[in-house]
Amino acid sequence: MLLDRLGRPLRDLRISVTDRCNLRCTYCMPASVFGPDYAFLPRAELLTFEEIERLSLAFVDLGVRKLRLTGGEPLLRRDLPDLIARLSRIEGVDDIALTTNGLLLPRLAADLKAAGLKRVTVSLDSLDPEVFGQMNGLNVHPQRVLDGIEAALKAGLGVKVNTVVQRGVNDAGLRELWLALREQAVVRFIEFMDVGNHNGWNLDSVVPSREVLTRLSADGTGAEFQPVNPHYRGEVAARHQDGAGHELGLISSVTAPFCGDCSRARLSAVGVLYTCLFADQGTDLRAPLRAGADDAALRELISGVWQGRRDRYSEERGEVTRERKVEMSHIGG
């Protein structure tokens, strides 16, 4: 088992397939920065499907068992089901999932499922059209995301819904969203994080998960929810169930960091390996790959990076200052 400096195994690989997105969410790609003139990556700089497959094989040889495709918005990458089909044939991969805003799922969900995709995580921050329109930056109506969720369920995909909670923005509608979706999906509420460099994060905007739990409960105490044991070490969401067995997740990377169990590596769309969501630098894998490095050399490079890893930014938040961090649109959430 490949371990880092803090004894954490390499088990999960998140693969960004594009830096582009069809929304401009204020906490990820605000329109004031990622406007019409923003220079996105040229296609030639993106890893090809063959390159992604080969790097994935190297990671699986080193212990990775779960692959997740991200972006930007991964469904914007042309012929994405072809990539999923390639990855699903890799021996040793237990799970392939995808994180999406859901807008293109009505068109693609069936093909994604047929290619081997198991699950999708869909972002939806509010059911209020005005609030959601402001948060997504383009006034997109929440019904379009709900249509995507319905298409995923109809195709036979497992569905989780992620909601980023910001005080004074969407926190008033959390219970409404939970009640509307709890029969269809596992809803997960995420504390607003200081990812990237442009989302205007401050601690006052964070709604702690313990407060979210009280807001979701009928009596305002949170007593109706009981904790559920995690499925595996490194599970990011603390799981809870109500009396009817509906499950929700709380991701508390600000108030209760889980760095100690983090088993995730991240591969950007241009082949840079990052070992933390809040990293300020990474390791280029595309250059040696395109220069002709063999599989053994790629495994050695990845192993060296992971064995030297000591990232625990969320635990150090407040003690460590990083002037620049990699954008979430480059490596997913």
Side-chain angles (χ1 to χ4, degrees):
M1 182 182 295
L2 187 64
L3 302 177
D4 70 6
R5 298 287 291 274
L6 301 180
R8 298 169 294 188
L10 175 60
R11 283 288 180 263
D12 305 85
L13 177 63
R14 301 193 170 193
I15 305 167
S16 175
V17 296
T18 180
D19 65 328
R20 298 172 184 267
C21 189
N22 46 3
L23 292 180
R24 289 296 179 267
C25 296
T26 54
Y27 54 80
C28 181
M29 295 179 67
S32 59
V33 177
F34 299 87
D37 298 326
Y38 185 82
F40 289 99
L41 295 167
R43 185 172 180 84
E45 292 189 17
L46 302 180
L47 291 177
T48 66
F49 287 176
E50 292 82 1
E51 289 170 335
I52 293 173
E53 180 183 15
R54 189 167 167 213
L55 288 174
S56 297
L57 278 164
F59 278 96
V60 171
D61 285 343
L62 294 171
V64 163
R65 293 295 174 263
K66 297 173 61 178
L67 303 176
R68 175 175 291 275
L69 302 182
T70 70
E73 170 48 52
L75 298 186
L76 290 176
R77 182 72 185 259
R78 187 180 302 171
D79 299 322
L80 189 67
D82 293 346
L83 174 60
I84 291 171
R86 287 173 175 268
L87 299 179
S88 66
R89 291 193 291 265
I90 297 176
E91 186 175 351
V93 174
D94 297 332
D95 187 30
I96 300 177
L98 180 143
T99 298
T100 175
N101 59 37
L103 299 185
L104 298 178
L105 281 174
R107 177 159 57 90
L108 293 171
D111 289 341
L112 295 168
K113 173 65 175 177
L117 188 68
K118 304 289 183 63
R119 301 180 291 116
V120 292
T121 298
V122 181
S123 300
L124 178 58
D125 296 319
S126 177
L127 293 180
D128 183 299
E130 182 176 354
V131 172
F132 185 62
Q134 291 174 352
M135 292 186 74
N136 66 54
L138 296 178
N139 291 315
V140 172
H141 197 282
Q143 187 59 49
R144 291 188 59 191
V145 182
L146 295 173
D147 291 344
I149 292 171
E150 182 179 357
L153 292 169
K154 184 177 180 180
L157 293 166
V159 177
K160 292 180 180 178
V161 174
N162 277 356
T163 298
V164 175
V165 183
Q166 294 179 255
R167 190 177 301 281
V169 179
N170 65 332
D171 53 327
L174 301 183
R175 180 167 167 78
E176 176 191 8
L177 189 147
W178 156 249
L179 292 176
L181 293 175
R182 64 181 181 177
E183 298 284 353
Q184 302 171 276
V186 175
V187 185
R188 308 195 305 177
F189 297 92
I190 305 173
E191 292 179 347
F192 180 36
M193 293 180 286
D194 50 331
V195 293
N197 307 287
H198 305 291
N199 69 0
W201 183 88
N202 63 78
L203 191 57
D204 291 339
S205 298
V206 176
V207 180
S209 290
R210 60 183 179 275
E211 182 179 334
V212 170
L213 204 61
T214 64
R215 287 173 177 252
L216 297 179
S217 61
D219 61 3
T221 68
E224 68 190 77
F225 295 101
Q226 297 300 316
V228 179
N229 291 330
H231 287 304
Y232 53 89
R233 179 188 176 187
E235 188 172 22
V236 299
R239 300 165 59 228
H240 293 73
Q241 284 186 348
D242 64 11
H246 302 116
E247 183 179 318
L248 68 89
L250 299 172
I251 300 177
S252 314
S253 67
V254 177
T255 64
F258 38 83
C259 301
D261 285 330
C262 179
S263 60
R264 289 171 296 285
R266 290 174 163 84
L267 186 64
S268 80
V270 295
V272 177
L273 168 61
Y274 293 95
T275 55
C276 181
L277 177 61
F278 304 95
D280 55 0
Q281 58 185 345
T283 301
D284 185 4
L285 300 183
R286 186 188 65 184
L289 180 66
R290 293 186 176 178
D294 62 18
D295 293 342
L298 292 172
R299 289 194 298 268
E300 183 178 359
L301 177 56
I302 295 167
S303 295
V305 171
W306 191 263
Q307 288 172 330
R309 176 190 189 233
R310 54 170 69 247
D311 299 287
R312 55 185 192 93
Y313 175 83
S314 286
E315 292 180 348
E316 297 174 325
R317 184 184 281 109
E319 303 172 16
V320 175
T321 299
R322 292 183 179 172
E323 293 185 2
R324 301 289 296 179
K325 299 189 289 288
V326 63
E327 295 295 343
M328 188 164 69
S329 59
H330 282 214
I331 59 172

